[in-house]
Each structure stands twice: as structure tokens, then as C-alpha cells.
Amino acid sequence: MDNASSNLTTIKFLQRVTTYWNWTVLETEYMHMRCCAHILNLIVGEGLKEIDAFVARVREAVRYVKFSPNRNQTFRSFMERLGMESKSLLCLDAPTKWNSTYFMLETAEKFEKVFLRMDFEDDGYSSYFRTKEDSGGLGSPCMSDFQNCSAFVTFLRLFYNATKKFSGSLYVTLNAFFDEIFVIQELGKVMVYKVKDLLMKLYTFYCSINSPNVQEPSGSERTQMVGDASDPYVMVHSRYELFLEAEQFVGCSNEFEKYLAENCDGRKDVNFEVLGWWKNNSSRYPMLSKVAKDVLVVPVSTVAFELAFSTGGRIVDPF
């Protein structure tokens, strides 16, 4: 959930009433997971404040063109003179919806040459912005504004794609978290250690509640168990598999260490799905697969899709 005061109050209440329950995961230490779409929204909102001037100039140019059919026709005539064809149409953004700002800048940058040509040859366009400048307003967008526009569109595209994926309601979303965040900000060693430490805590906790009195058999015990098989060919094959396992996991004392020691699977398969991998490998990692099943099905966002891009507050009308 996001950091709304009502949510924080609810979480504190739940932590208090579940303190003495049996088997609360890590004593409710990780009960509150922040809504990722909300976090991305805050980041983009701060970013938009930093570049407000060039966005405002581009917005005003788009508003000028879309103000009347005559101006729109003039814009299209300049497109034809420059030999430009595009199915994309200019769109004016709603300042509180940052995805609409992304769409506006994405289409506007495609028509940079048209806007710059209008600034020199269209008297109505140039006088419109000259009047605004004389009254203390912003001038027309220049070449550097469109260069900034192009760079910022590339920046916003990462957040737009991530927010779209995080805001899904008909599929699991947490398993998509890593890839999307990684392209926004590459991890450092500190985060790797934090994740590994938390995974170890969860593994230990799940072991304590699922098999408190069960220990994994030693290598010799397992070999003896397999050696009792009635089919000698099955016995030989099984003992060879145990030998390979022992060679690979030499020095590993538990399932968690074995998992970390195993070679990673490649990502050549474009349809690779981490939950499917854990389902197929649950027999090899019975305890860790329980952790994966519980953790990876958590929604990464609780925001409805249409609200995920809003930088404005919700408004309740008087009625």
C-alpha cells in the first residue's frame, strides 16, 4: 500500500493485534510493502518539477496548434512542405496526469522541424509567442527544448512501461518487479546483501514452522537409502545422481546454500517465468519453493490503472 495516513494507521493496528499470534512471518517486520506504482509516481512528479520550463514551452506550442481548425490546417501544410507523413497526432496533456505529458512530448518531438519552421515563416505563430514574451510569459520552443524533450521521453518511457506492468490486476505482478526496476536503476552490492540476508531469514523461519523436527539426511544416509532399491540399474543411476549432487554442492549444509551454489539458468527463453520455474523445481527446493510461492504472489501495486499516472490528489465534490 502507499503511505497514506489511513494505511499507516491500519498497519500499526494489525501489527499490534497480531503480536501474540502464532506464526506471524518474522514478527510482522515486513507487513507493510510500499506500492511501487505510487513510488514511481512520486519520482516522476519530482522529475517534472525540475524540467518544467521546456515542457511548458512545448505544451504552449501544442496548445497553439490545437486551438483552432485553421491553425491545425496550417500545421499540416508545413508537414506536407517538409515531406513529413505521420499517423501520430498532436495531443495536449493534462498536467496532473504524467502519462499524458509523456504522450504529448513523444508526439511533439516527431514534429520538431515543423515547429521550428513555423517559428520562422508563420506570422501568427511567431507573433503569438512574441506577445507572451512581452507580457512576461514563455517564448516558443527552440532546438534545445526539443533535444531535452527527446531525452526526457526516453526517461519517462521506462517509468511508463514499469507502471503499466505494475498496475495489472489480472495477473501476478511481484515477479515482474526486478526486471523493471533494474532498467531504471542498476543495483549495487549493498542491495544484493540485503536481499540475500532477508531470503535467509525467511528460509529459516519457514523451516521452523514447516518441519521443526525434520533434518535433511546426510549424503551417506541417502546413498544407503538408494542402495536398497530392488532394481540394480535404478540403484546405479540414482547413486550417480547423488554423486553429481554431492560434487556440485560440496560444502553446502542446507537447501538455501545449495540454491545459491547452483549455476543460474539462462534467460534465452523470452517466455521465462519465475513462478513456473519454482513450480517445476519445488521437489528440489521444497522449503524455498514455499517462500517463493508466498512472496512472489504479492501484488506489487494496489493502484487502479487509471489512477497510477495521476500526480494530483483525489477530489471529492461537495455533493
Side-chain angles (χ1 to χ4, degrees):
M1 300 181 292
D2 61 25
N3 292 327
S5 57
S6 57
N7 289 340
L8 295 176
T9 302
T10 302
I11 291 297
K12 288 179 180 178
F13 172 76
L14 286 174
Q15 287 175 327
R16 186 167 64 250
V17 298
T18 59
T19 299
Y20 301 106
W21 288 11
N22 292 328
W23 317 128
T24 53
V25 178
L26 299 181
E27 298 181 346
T28 70
E29 184 179 355
Y30 297 98
M31 181 177 280
H32 186 187
M33 176 179 154
R34 269 66 177 177
C35 170
C36 289
H38 178 73
I39 294 171
L40 293 183
N41 208 332
L42 294 175
I43 295 171
V44 173
E46 288 299 312
L48 286 171
K49 292 177 185 177
E50 296 296 324
I51 44 78
D52 191 53
F54 92 77
V55 172
R57 282 191 287 270
V58 172
R59 181 184 294 123
E60 198 58 41
V62 173
R63 180 180 286 114
Y64 170 86
V65 173
K66 293 186 69 64
F67 182 78
S68 71
N70 288 337
R71 290 178 180 178
N72 191 55
Q73 185 57 45
T74 302
F75 184 83
R76 288 184 174 277
S77 66
F78 274 97
M79 283 178 57
E80 293 173 2
R81 288 168 55 184
L82 291 169
M84 295 179 64
E85 293 183 5
S86 177
K87 294 182 180 179
S88 301
L89 299 176
L90 291 175
C91 58
L92 189 63
D93 71 330
T96 58
K97 302 273 187 187
W98 70 261
N99 62 322
S100 67
T101 303
Y102 163 67
F103 293 138
M104 180 188 71
L105 296 178
E106 186 182 41
T107 54
E109 69 164 331
K110 298 175 182 176
F111 301 111
E112 174 186 356
K113 293 181 180 179
V114 180
F115 282 113
L116 295 178
R117 180 65 66 90
M118 287 177 66
D119 204 9
F120 282 102
E121 299 184 17
D122 183 8
D123 291 336
Y125 182 84
S126 56
S127 62
Y128 173 82
F129 282 100
R130 195 179 307 116
T131 302
K132 281 193 164 295
E133 279 188 291
D134 292 342
S135 60
L138 295 169
S140 58
C142 59
M143 187 178 295
S144 63
D145 288 326
F146 285 104
Q147 289 173 347
N148 290 334
C149 178
S150 179
F152 198 61
V153 164
T154 302
F155 166 78
L156 279 181
R157 187 175 293 120
L158 300 175
F159 291 88
Y160 176 74
N161 291 336
T163 303
K164 267 206 317 184
K165 187 172 287 188
F166 290 169
S167 302
S169 59
L170 301 179
Y171 53 87
V172 178
T173 52
L174 186 56
N175 55 315
F177 175 84
F178 179 79
D179 286 346
E180 299 302 325
I181 291 299
F182 193 85
V183 297
I184 293 174
Q185 174 64 60
E186 293 188 10
L187 302 177
K189 292 181 179 178
V190 174
M191 184 60 68
V192 174
Y193 290 134
K194 285 184 177 180
V195 172
K196 187 182 292 186
D197 181 58
L198 174 56
L199 182 57
M200 184 61 189
K201 284 182 181 178
L202 287 170
Y203 168 73
T204 304
F205 171 78
Y206 273 68
C207 285
S208 69
I209 64 171
N210 286 283
S211 54
N213 300 316
V214 178
Q215 294 182 345
E216 294 184 13
S218 65
S220 59
E221 289 173 337
R222 283 180 293 178
T223 302
Q224 182 62 40
M225 291 162 55
V226 175
D228 296 333
S230 57
D231 189 331
Y233 293 98
V234 173
M235 179 193 69
V236 170
H237 177 72
S238 299
R239 292 182 68 176
Y240 180 63
E241 290 295 320
L242 287 174
F243 168 76
L244 292 179
E245 183 182 352
E247 286 292 305
Q248 182 177 3
F249 298 132
V250 61
C252 299
S253 61
N254 57 43
E255 183 182 314
F256 177 73
E257 292 182 0
K258 291 177 183 178
Y259 171 72
L260 294 181
E262 186 181 21
N263 291 330
C264 298
D265 282 356
R267 296 296 297 274
K268 295 179 182 178
D269 182 7
V270 294
N271 297 317
F272 175 82
E273 210 281 307
V274 68
L275 281 173
W277 187 93
W278 277 108
K279 181 179 179 181
N280 295 332
N281 291 273
S282 58
S283 59
R284 297 170 58 205
Y285 302 108
M287 203 58 63
L288 280 175
S289 64
K290 292 179 183 291
V291 178
K293 183 178 70 172
D294 288 349
V295 171
L296 293 180
V297 296
V298 177
V300 79
S301 169
T302 57
V303 182
F305 180 76
E306 63 273 11
L307 297 176
F309 299 100
S310 176
T311 55
R314 295 189 185 186
I315 299 175
V316 180
D317 60 56
F319 180 77

